[in-house]
Amino acid sequence: MNEVRQFRKDLVDQSGYCMACLIPAGHARLDCHEILNGAMRDKTLDEPCSLLVLCWPCNSNKMTDKKLWPVARQLALLQEWSPDAYDLVRFNWLRNPDAPNFVTQEEVDVYRDEFKKRRPKA
């Protein structure tokens, strides 16, 4: 578990900002949010393809509204913010190895323009 904790801390440190609202780490507590949550949460604690770095309000309020933040929108945010971590095939496999199209790239692409070239101000 210590390795998972360190992995997540490193992820937060590397990001430095909430991926959703862009608040910097110096102004808010940042943590990892599991896109695959609920019963699948434990197996994705150290899976970059299923983690967003978010501030506490975004993690506990915004992302809990699945109508505003469906999985495909969360994945679009991850893809734009952290393209090296984005792996839709792995994400779908983690959710259910027998459902490779749980989320499709086309569903993610619907939200991509919203996050394109969106970065915190220097």
Side-chain angles (χ1 to χ4, degrees):
M1 191 63 174
N2 284 336
E3 291 129 13
V4 169
R5 212 174 277 130
Q6 186 61 49
F7 169 80
R8 291 165 69 92
K9 181 187 177 312
D10 291 346
L11 201 61
V12 168
D13 290 346
Q14 289 167 6
S15 174
Y17 289 86
C18 173
M19 294 177 175
C21 74
L22 304 180
I23 193 167
H27 296 280
R29 177 179 161 231
L30 301 180
D31 206 348
C32 289
H33 165 79
E34 299 83 18
I35 299 170
L36 283 175
N37 48 33
M40 294 164 278
R41 179 183 182 273
D42 285 347
K43 72 178 185 181
T44 64
L45 291 174
D46 63 349
E47 289 286 345
C49 67
S50 183
L51 295 173
L52 296 171
V53 174
L54 301 175
C55 66
W56 186 253
C58 286
N59 189 19
S60 29
N61 296 326
K62 287 183 182 179
M63 293 298 155
T64 59
D65 186 342
K66 299 304 181 198
K67 286 186 180 182
L68 288 176
W69 281 95
V71 170
R73 185 177 182 207
Q74 293 180 54
L75 287 169
L77 178 62
L78 178 66
Q79 185 177 22
E80 194 58 38
W81 186 274
S82 188
D84 291 342
Y86 181 76
D87 185 343
L88 188 57
V89 172
R90 174 97 177 133
F91 178 88
N92 283 331
W93 183 86
L94 286 165
R95 185 188 176 278
N96 181 346
D98 296 325
N101 293 316
F102 169 68
V103 177
T104 66
Q105 188 60 51
E106 291 77 21
E107 292 171 310
V108 173
D109 289 344
V110 167
Y111 298 100
R112 284 294 303 284
D113 285 343
E114 178 182 355
F115 304 115
K116 270 211 180 311
K117 310 232 187 293
R118 185 173 169 268
R119 292 286 181 261
K121 295 175 184 169

